[in-house]
Amino acid sequence: FFSSRRRHTRLQGDWSSDVCSSDLIRLAGPWQYRLSGEPGEVRTVRLPLVVDTTGDSLQRGFHAPSGLAGESELLVVFRAVGAFAVRLNATLLAEHGSLVGECAVADEAEHERMCGIPRSALKSFNELEFTAGCGRGEVCRLEEVWLLILESE
């Protein structure tokens, strides 16, 4: 589904029309891995990563992309197995298996999901956080994370 500078349709509306261009920024790492119940325990990790404890979180900071046009849309796109809550600067984008707000499944077979980032939540420097919500005996896996900029033409 995703490749840099690829043309594709928008999230909302008719998937066969409303074509736009896009830029894709991969957030490869490093990520900070925080263990639930152990507030001082932080490890630096790279994706993909298996998380088997509910409440464990992965955090990564990033600067807002420069040159965003007024009508550009910014989304966080992620490939993951299992339930994760997703927050940007403490604003909830997705919650443990339920996609909230401007979120959608991008590709079910590839486990890709995407969430719109409200402009009001975006700062010059941002903190993106994924918190595992796996049930007992389940495993969550965060594989890849991107920022997607959609620009109207």
Side-chain angles (χ1 to χ4, degrees):
F1 183 80
F2 296 103
S3 65
S4 185
R5 302 298 302 170
R6 182 174 176 177
R7 295 175 64 84
H8 55 84
T9 57
R10 289 179 171 269
L11 294 177
Q12 290 85 22
D14 183 358
W15 283 84
S16 63
S17 63
D18 201 12
V19 175
C20 59
S21 65
S22 66
D23 284 311
L24 191 62
I25 303 166
R26 185 169 181 229
L27 299 178
W31 290 76
Q32 299 298 312
Y33 182 46
R34 299 181 191 284
L35 303 173
S36 64
E38 298 181 34
E41 182 69 27
V42 178
R43 294 185 289 166
T44 300
V45 297
R46 294 206 176 269
L47 300 180
L49 182 71
V50 173
V51 181
D52 59 2
T53 304
T54 295
D56 286 3
S57 66
L58 292 152
Q59 298 171 328
R60 187 184 190 288
F62 67 93
H63 290 280
S66 59
L68 287 176
E71 295 182 19
S72 296
E73 294 179 61
L74 185 62
L75 301 101
V76 61
V77 181
F78 57 102
R79 183 176 294 146
V81 175
F84 285 93
V86 182
R87 288 182 174 76
L88 177 72
N89 302 325
T91 298
L92 184 66
L93 302 178
E95 185 170 31
H96 302 304
S98 298
L99 299 174
V100 297
E102 295 293 321
C103 292
V105 173
D107 187 331
E108 188 70 40
E110 293 293 325
H111 305 285
E112 288 179 355
R113 300 170 224 168
M114 62 180 102
C115 298
I117 295 176
R119 285 286 180 116
S120 60
L122 195 62
K123 300 177 181 178
S124 59
F125 187 79
N126 301 276
E127 188 73 30
L128 185 60
E129 178 180 13
F130 287 80
T131 304
C134 304
R136 184 175 213 114
E138 294 179 340
V139 173
C140 290
R141 184 175 70 242
L142 185 60
E143 297 175 355
E144 294 183 90
V145 180
W146 306 273
L147 291 178
L148 177 64
I149 303 168
L150 297 178
E151 299 173 11
S152 298
E153 292 186 352

